[in-house]
Amino acid sequence: SQQGEEDPQALSIQEGENATMNCSYKTSINNLQWYRQNSGRGLVHLILIRSNEREKHSGRLRVTLDTSKKSSSLLITASRAADTASYFCATTGLAQGAQKLVFGQGTRLTINP
Amino acid sequence: ETGVTQTPRHLVMGMTNKKSLKCEQHLGHNAMYWYKQSAKKPLELMFVYSLEERVENNSVPSRFSPECPNSSHLFLHLHTLQPEDSALYLCASSQDHLAGRGEQFFGPGTRLTVL
């Protein structure tokens, strides 16, 4: 299975601090994506990083990818209360065919005011 | 708003009922997906449709029956469900279904409770 696994499972920090979440996976990938989910709602795509990229930025988000270690990290800088949500990494494999996003179990992030 | 809508948002049904979940995407995408999200389990892919053809069926029990009448609409017909089928059912769409082509856009989900 190429299932991603996020670490930590839960993270609680103060507003203004930076939050770092990690993701590990098992097989070779085409790309890795990060999604956010507010409680009981749908997922929102945050950022996609391809297997030949090492780092990507989007606003306060910074994603790194280390294919040799099969791991990725998501950094949220200057966190805000609105960043409170669950964060999931998802991978797509190299095999041709239907796009199968394989999700991890997520990191529950709580930003305390 | 992601451009993907789902109805109903909440559904309670008995094990002998028949109900349907509806998903509609307004993004002009060619691929649509059904996922199941249960408590304490990763999101599970159920079905993938591309241009109204089913291209993936992830060993889902026959009590779940998908239907894709056109590239904008996707249904999940439910019958004789079990209590363990209670979950959040998420619909998503993407530009196409080929691996590595980009992100998926999710609807808000239907919270299903089977009594």
Side-chain angles (χ1 to χ4, degrees):
Chain A
S1 166
Q2 64 184 57
Q3 180 177 341
E5 294 184 6
E6 287 90 344
D7 167 54
Q9 290 189 0
L11 179 62
S12 181
I13 61 174
Q14 294 300 120
E15 195 168 17
E17 294 179 340
N18 296 342
T20 299
M21 289 159 274
N22 302 296
C23 169
S24 61
Y25 55 91
K26 296 177 181 176
T27 62
S28 297
I29 61 170
N30 205 322
N31 66 54
L32 185 144
Q33 304 177 37
W34 285 91
Y35 288 81
R36 184 187 73 207
Q37 184 180 34
N38 289 84
S39 181
R41 303 295 301 274
L43 279 72
V44 176
H45 180 263
L46 295 176
I47 197 164
L48 180 154
I49 186 165
R50 301 198 184 281
S51 59
N52 61 353
E53 296 177 310
R54 291 296 167 259
E55 188 171 312
K56 207 162 182 179
H57 297 255
S58 177
R60 293 183 297 113
L61 306 180
R62 173 177 168 251
V63 168
T64 63
L65 179 64
D66 187 336
T67 53
S68 67
K69 295 181 180 178
K70 292 187 169 58
S71 67
S72 173
S73 68
L74 171 67
L75 168 68
I76 304 175
T77 60
S79 63
R80 305 168 182 168
D83 295 329
T84 294
S86 292
Y87 291 81
F88 298 87
C89 70
T91 56
T92 58
L94 289 176
Q96 290 300 309
Q99 183 184 104
K100 296 174 77 168
L101 275 182
V102 181
F103 286 84
Q105 289 199 282
T107 293
R108 175 68 190 166
L109 175 64
T110 301
I111 308 299
N112 301 304
Chain B
E1 293 295 329
T2 62
V4 182
T5 58
Q6 288 187 245
T7 55
R9 295 293 309 277
H10 301 272
L11 178 63
V12 179
M13 59 187 288
M15 288 191 285
T16 58
N17 292 157
K18 287 185 181 181
K19 296 287 184 183
S20 295
L21 310 185
K22 179 182 175 182
C23 176
E24 183 174 0
Q25 57 98 359
H26 312 272
L27 301 168
H29 288 166
N30 291 321
M32 296 186 77
Y33 311 78
W34 278 117
Y35 289 88
K36 175 183 178 183
Q37 187 177 33
S38 306
K40 299 182 180 179
K41 289 178 70 175
L43 207 64
E44 300 171 73
L45 177 66
M46 300 175 74
F47 301 104
V48 181
Y49 273 82
S50 174
L51 296 171
E52 300 107 65
E53 276 194 42
R54 192 188 311 178
V55 295
E56 188 78 24
N57 178 348
N58 244 19
S59 303
V60 179
S62 59
R63 56 186 185 269
F64 295 92
S65 175
E67 178 190 1
C68 188
N70 55 62
S71 59
S72 298
H73 293 86
L74 185 65
F75 295 88
L76 188 63
H77 304 299
L78 316 171
H79 63 97
T80 326
L81 294 193
Q82 305 297 312
E84 60 264 29
D85 296 323
S86 297
L88 182 68
Y89 288 85
L90 292 163
C91 172
S93 71
S94 67
Q95 191 169 7
D96 65 51
H97 75 287
L98 296 175
R101 289 294 183 93
E103 69 266 37
Q104 294 182 13
F105 293 78
F106 284 78
T110 295
R111 173 67 63 185
L112 173 67
T113 303
V114 181
L115 301 176

